[in-house]
Amino acid sequence: ITGMCEKLTLSEDGTKLFYYDKKTRDIWAIELDNNYLLKEIGKFPNVSKIAFTNGKIYVTSRTKNRIAIIDYDAGNIKSVEKALAYLDEEVRITRDREEILASDGVILPGVGAFGDAMEKLHTYGLVDVIREVVRRQIPFLGICLGLQLMFESSEETPGVEGLGLLPGKILKIPE
């Protein structure tokens, strides 16, 4: 474990040793027998917390969420991707229907004009996919223009319908 180990913890009774592997981000448990020989007793992947109390190992698992960032050529994708990577989430930049619907959460970023963005969502067949995400109650977040697209319409592009997920119209900020 030399070189990869970040933290060693000994159990209260001195019979178990836990260590965090920086490379794989796993926690390992090793048992010390009466002859002080090491015996591996388990690997706990994607663990955020581990404790040994009253002869039992308690593990809090933290599996990564699979987050889809919708790619429709109008998004500030890189900044959203970097934020999710910082949070150690599994990120997919996609416009694939099945991949989006299989995600634990979906983000619709956006930069640009309301009408152009809606046109691209229609071109890539994403309007119905987004509505299906919401219907299935998969967590959905619109960022910047992505949030505006969730409404029924926008003053910016009269006559262009939004996704209609939220009631209302996006209004221009008065000068």
Side-chain angles (χ1 to χ4, degrees), residues 17-172:
L17 180 70
F18 304 101
Y19 74 90
Y20 175 71
D21 185 329
K22 288 192 297 189
K23 187 174 183 181
T24 64
R25 296 184 179 174
D26 295 335
I27 290 180
W28 289 77
I30 296 174
E31 187 172 22
L32 306 171
D33 68 12
N34 291 337
N35 297 317
Y36 298 101
L37 296 175
L38 298 178
K39 180 177 112 184
E40 182 182 316
I41 59 171
K43 174 184 173 186
F44 305 93
N46 295 316
V47 169
S48 60
K49 192 184 287 185
I50 191 166
F52 185 83
T53 307
N54 298 327
K56 293 183 180 177
I57 297 173
Y58 296 92
V59 176
T60 302
S61 180
R62 188 208 169 279
T63 56
K64 294 181 181 185
N65 291 307
R66 188 175 18 185
I67 308 296
I69 301 173
I70 297 178
D71 179 11
Y72 63 110
D73 298 333
N76 47 345
I77 289 174
K78 283 297 175 195
S79 60
V80 175
E81 181 184 26
K82 283 181 182 180
L84 291 170
Y86 178 79
L87 296 172
D88 198 29
E89 300 296 355
E90 183 182 326
V91 180
R92 301 273 195 252
I93 298 172
T94 185
R95 58 178 69 123
D96 180 76
R97 173 187 175 81
E98 298 310 314
E99 194 166 26
I100 292 168
L101 293 175
S103 297
D104 299 311
V106 179
I107 297 177
L108 179 66
V111 174
F114 188 94
D116 294 341
M118 281 307 301
E119 183 179 328
K120 288 180 182 186
L121 288 175
H122 281 290
T123 299
Y124 292 123
L126 292 167
V127 172
D128 289 336
V129 177
I130 292 168
R131 288 182 177 143
E132 181 65 15
V133 164
V134 173
R135 188 190 72 70
R136 291 185 186 186
Q137 297 184 338
I138 298 169
F140 183 78
L141 174 67
I143 299 176
C144 300
L145 178 59
L147 175 61
Q148 293 179 33
L149 296 173
M150 293 171 67
F151 287 87
E152 297 167 322
S153 64
S154 172
E155 275 186 349
E156 179 182 17
T157 315
V160 174
E161 287 185 20
L163 294 168
L165 304 173
L166 299 171
K169 180 178 186 175
I170 300 298
L171 304 175
K172 183 179 177 182

